[in-house]
């Protein structure tokens, strides 16, 4: 073990010590709450399968208390000026930054994500708060729509209490991506984090309270998705559900919210293509393809998990990617040298390992990896893996594996590349590598995806719309798009006093 890893583990143990005593409860109306029943579940460390801590399993009473707190807190938060909300959200950003090391270390141990990526996660989370803080004063702005004898104008008003349900991959950053715009808009929130990675959600709730977010404006219920999550999406006080997670859960969220007519925003799964033409800058394309599947353990909705390469360069390109995959450093998430950490959970490990068998039985070649990585006893590590010689019809090319696993397929020309890229139920992102700008435009316009990057890996600019089509989601986040979800648009029509009012019964 390197001295740097040893020192980091010692630090992490210090940060984790506080979670080890009593079960982690909820955060309701500005206070930590133990949970109304003794039901708990275990939070498991991806590093060695040991129990990190116990977590209260939220039930109907807990969810109702949180939703009611959010409902009570709503009028006062709605009526605060945009400038007041702006100041509080900037303070949240400052406090996140000041605790960035703790957030990174806890996130690494809770999720298995490598420190080299998580060390920046808190900064991005702070940026999310700053970005939406600055938009709070203008969030209610609308349009002037004058008619001949009437003046119409629109304003936007916050929806009310909203549910925010988040997954286990990079949970801290993803929660801020939802919570920051909801608060900037003037909504109040009940957050249900993923049961496999609950820790940093509580840190965020504490930070927001310390920053001056009033009691009840943000509430947190820990628990199992099918119980606490489901109850939250059904609660009549909740006006909308913003969800990040799997496509099939998204469909359940829609149906659970239907009886109470909830608005839904769904950011779901993907099987995103990276399409490499023979005329591309291949050195950059190799770097980007490797980064977009093996960073964040491949547990990334925008990962490019299908590598579509033009036949003329297929063998050499795939060889280069395979060589990189074999050299990736798999290790403890707190080792500064680690590029790929352990997967989140035993169940997810089994799912990913299952695809290695599926690839073999479907007749694909395994050009790198294809087995469990022996890093530590009991840890959920897999080797970065590359399947080649695949076909679009294979399960390894159609299903979201959500691990460091890439499926490579050859195409002959632009038309075949496009039809392969679109031959999926998903439509989150696509990455196109070509030196021909006309082809880049043709492909970008026709590929079925909510977001397309040309000659680039996923590069985020917060005002741009983020979201998917088909089974990858409904709705957009980012910039003003987030406010379209968290706010209602109201039209107000004033008469000049000149138009003829119809007279009935005169
Ligand atoms: P998941 O759908 O299993 O769980 C997500 C959250 O939903 C968890 O908090 C869970 O407890 C809760 N949940 C589960 N069942 C529920 C129900 N019936 N009602 C209410 N809540 C319920 O997803 P996951 O395995 O945690 O996350 C991985 C998935 O998330 C992948 O498919 C990935 O692509 C997707 N994801 C998408 C984006 C995006 O922006 N499109 C970003 C990150 C992750």
């Amino acid at each position: 073990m390197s001295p740097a890893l040893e020192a980091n583990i010692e630090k992490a143990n210090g940060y984790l010590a506080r979670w080890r005593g009593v079960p982690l409860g909820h955060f309701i109306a500005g206070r930590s709450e133990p949970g109304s029943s003794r039901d708990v579940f275990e939070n498991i460390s991806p590093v060695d399968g040991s129990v990190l801590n116990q977590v209260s399993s939220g039930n109907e009473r807990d969810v109702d208390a949180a939703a009611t707190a959010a409902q009570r807190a709503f009028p006062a938060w709605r009526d605060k000026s945009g400038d007041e909300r702006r100041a509080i959200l900037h303070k949240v950003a400052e406090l996140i930054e000041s605790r960035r090391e703790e957030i990174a270390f806890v996130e690494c141990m809770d999720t298995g994500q490598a420190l080299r990526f998580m060390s920046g996660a808190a900064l991005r989370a702070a940026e999310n708060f700053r970005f939406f803080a600055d938009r709070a004063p203008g969030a209610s702005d609308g349009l002037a729509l004058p008619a001949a004898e009437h003046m119409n104008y629109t304003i936007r008003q916050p929806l009310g209490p909203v549910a925010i349900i988040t997954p286990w991959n990079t949970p801290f950053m993803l929660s801020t991506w939802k919570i920051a715009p909801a608060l900037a808009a003037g909504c109040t929130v009940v957050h249900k984090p993923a049961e496999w990675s609950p820790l940093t959600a509580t840190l965020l709730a504490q930070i927001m309270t310390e920053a001056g977010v009033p009691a009840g404006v943000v509430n947190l219920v820990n628990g199992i998705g099918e119980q606490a999550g489901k109850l939250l999406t059904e609660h009549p006080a909740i006006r909308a559900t913003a969800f990040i997670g799997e496509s099939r859960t998204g469909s359940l969220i829609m149906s659970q919210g239907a009886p109470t007519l909830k608005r839904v925003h769904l950011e779901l799964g993907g099987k995103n293509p990276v399409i490499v033409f023979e005329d591309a800058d291949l050195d950059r394309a190799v770097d980007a393809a490797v980064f977009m599947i093996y960073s964040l353990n491949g547990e990334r909705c925008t990962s490019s998990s299908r590598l579509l390469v033009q036949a003329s360069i297929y063998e050499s390109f795939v060889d280069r990617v395979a060589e990189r995959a074999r050299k990736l450093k798999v290790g403890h998430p707190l080792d500064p040298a680690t590029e790929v950490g352990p997967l989140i959970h035993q169940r997810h490990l089994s799912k990913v390992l299952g695809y290695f068998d599926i690839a073999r039985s479907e007749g694909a070649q395994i050009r790198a990896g294809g087995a469990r990585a022996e890093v530590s006893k009991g840890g959920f590590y897999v080797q970065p893996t590359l399947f080649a010689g695949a076909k679009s019809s294979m399960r390894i090319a159609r299903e979201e594996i959500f691990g460091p696993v890439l499926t490579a397929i050859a195409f002959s020309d632009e038309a075949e590349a496009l039809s392969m890229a679109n031959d999926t139920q998903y439509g989150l992102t696509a990455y196109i590598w070509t030196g021909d700008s006309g082809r880049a435009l043709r492909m970008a316009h026709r590929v079925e995806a909510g977001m397309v990057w040309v000659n680039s890996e996923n590069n985020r600019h917060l005002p741009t719309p983020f979201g998917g089509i088909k089974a990858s989601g409904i709705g957009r986040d980012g910039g003003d798009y987030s406010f379209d979800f968290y706010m209602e648009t109201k039209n107000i029509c004033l008469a000049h006093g000149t138009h003829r009012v119809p007279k009935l019964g005169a």
Side-chain angles (χ1 to χ4, degrees):
M1 188 183 294
S2 71
L5 173 57
E6 216 168 318
N8 283 350
I9 290 177
E10 200 180 319
K11 257 192 206 167
N13 283 336
Y15 288 131
L16 290 168
R18 59 180 286 209
W19 308 99
R20 294 217 158 98
V22 286
L24 174 65
H26 316 301
F27 193 85
I28 298 173
R31 289 213 315 264
S32 296
E33 292 288 346
S36 64
S37 83
R38 282 166 194 268
D39 283 353
V40 291
F41 59 90
E42 285 178 341
N43 181 27
I44 303 293
S45 161
V47 171
D48 56 11
S50 63
V51 176
L52 275 177
N53 70 318
Q54 309 276 331
V55 187
S56 297
S57 184
N59 61 16
E60 199 159 359
R61 285 201 2 233
D62 303 315
V63 169
D64 186 56
T68 306
Q71 191 177 32
R72 291 209 180 107
F74 174 62
W77 184 246
R78 173 197 62 199
D79 293 341
K80 271 199 187 310
S81 72
D83 284 340
E84 285 173 296
R85 285 203 289 272
R86 176 176 183 271
I88 293 172
L89 298 185
H90 270 290
K91 183 74 187 160
V92 175
E94 268 168 43
L95 292 179
I96 288 176
E97 272 190 11
S98 71
R99 286 173 75 175
R100 64 179 178 269
E101 184 185 84
E102 178 184 8
I103 293 164
F105 278 49
V106 172
E107 192 86 317
C108 288
M109 292 305 289
D110 205 11
T111 63
Q113 295 287 359
L115 186 61
R116 71 166 61 220
F117 302 117
M118 288 309 97
S119 56
L123 298 181
R124 165 67 201 281
E127 195 189 338
N128 287 343
F129 268 95
R130 289 216 172 88
F131 177 82
F132 286 108
D134 285 336
R135 276 163 178 73
S140 60
D141 287 355
L143 293 172
L145 299 164
E149 292 178 294
H150 290 85
M151 178 63 203
N152 288 276
Y153 69 96
T154 66
I155 57 169
R156 286 193 300 200
Q157 296 178 317
L159 275 184
V162 298
I164 291 178
I165 301 183
T166 48
W168 44 258
N169 64 320
T170 64
F172 188 81
M173 195 288 285
L174 285 175
S175 338
T176 62
W177 179 234
K178 293 287 184 191
I179 293 174
L183 296 184
C187 291
T188 54
V189 169
V190 181
H191 179 204
K192 209 300 284 171
E195 50 271 48
W196 285 354
S197 62
L199 298 183
T200 52
T202 292
L203 287 182
L204 181 61
Q206 290 166 350
I207 285 171
M208 288 189 285
T209 303
E210 196 185 328
V213 174
V217 169
V218 176
N219 307 275
L220 159 68
V221 179
N222 276 302
I224 306 299
E226 294 79 0
Q227 297 164 14
K230 179 171 184 288
L231 288 163
L232 187 57
T233 60
E234 292 170 342
H235 198 285
I238 298 292
R239 300 292 313 281
T241 302
F243 171 76
I244 310 178
E246 285 191 21
S247 300
R248 67 169 179 275
T249 317
S251 137
L252 288 174
I253 302 262
M254 278 185 103
S255 61
Q256 290 161 194
T260 47
L261 293 172
K262 277 189 191 30
R263 183 180 290 189
V264 290
H265 188 164
L266 306 176
E267 289 186 12
L268 309 174
K271 189 75 181 178
N272 310 299
V274 49
I275 308 161
V276 184
F277 288 94
E278 60 191 4
D279 59 7
D281 180 335
L282 298 180
D283 293 341
R284 287 171 75 83
V286 167
D287 287 343
V290 169
F291 176 75
M292 278 313 300
I293 186 63
Y294 299 116
S295 60
L296 301 177
N297 304 342
E299 295 166 323
R300 176 178 198 162
C301 57
T302 53
S303 75
S304 52
S305 49
R306 285 188 297 151
L307 173 62
L308 312 183
V309 188
Q310 196 150 20
S312 51
I313 55 160
Y314 180 83
E315 278 307 324
S316 59
F317 195 88
V318 166
D319 274 349
R320 290 178 71 181
V321 174
E323 196 189 333
R324 291 282 195 87
R326 285 191 288 266
K327 284 191 186 152
L328 285 166
K329 170 92 174 68
V330 182
H332 192 292
L334 291 178
D335 186 337
T338 291
E339 293 171 309
V340 179
L343 298 179
I344 180 83
H345 195 272
Q346 174 66 51
R347 288 225 303 271
H348 190 51
L349 173 70
S350 304
K351 173 184 154 177
V352 173
L353 294 177
Y355 279 99
F356 298 165
D357 296 333
I358 293 168
R360 289 185 186 98
S361 69
E362 288 183 317
Q365 309 147 11
I366 298 188
R367 295 279 275 267
R372 202 170 170 155
E374 298 306 330
V375 173
S376 69
K377 202 167 172 303
F380 309 140
Y381 295 89
V382 289
Q383 296 172 352
T385 294
L386 173 65
F387 302 138
K391 295 196 179 67
S392 273
S393 54
M394 292 179 178
R395 286 181 63 192
I396 53 168
R398 307 194 77 76
E399 297 173 14
E400 186 185 43
I401 301 173
F402 217 55
V405 182
L406 179 60
T407 300
I409 311 174
F411 67 82
S412 55
D413 56 16
E414 196 177 312
E416 195 183 15
L418 184 67
S419 93
M420 270 182 191
N422 290 343
D423 185 14
T424 169
Q425 60 164 326
Y426 295 108
L428 190 59
T429 65
Y431 306 88
I432 299 164
W433 287 85
T434 175
D436 176 338
S437 57
R439 167 185 279 161
L441 284 171
R442 289 190 298 276
M443 289 291 295
H445 283 232
R446 286 176 199 154
V447 71
E448 292 166 359
M451 295 168 280
V452 180
W453 279 269
V454 177
N455 296 332
S456 177
E457 77 289 10
N458 171 341
N459 229 289
R460 294 283 300 121
H461 179 48
L462 299 188
T464 60
F466 184 99
I469 63 170
K470 294 159 78 179
S472 291
I474 297 177
R476 294 291 177 270
D477 274 317
D480 201 54
Y481 300 94
S482 296
F483 292 145
D484 280 343
F485 177 72
Y486 292 110
M487 305 184 87
E488 294 280 15
T489 297
K490 181 186 275 184
N491 187 62
I492 296 160
C493 178
L494 286 94
H496 290 215
T498 53
H499 74 289
R500 197 180 71 81
V501 181
K503 287 185 195 297
L504 297 182

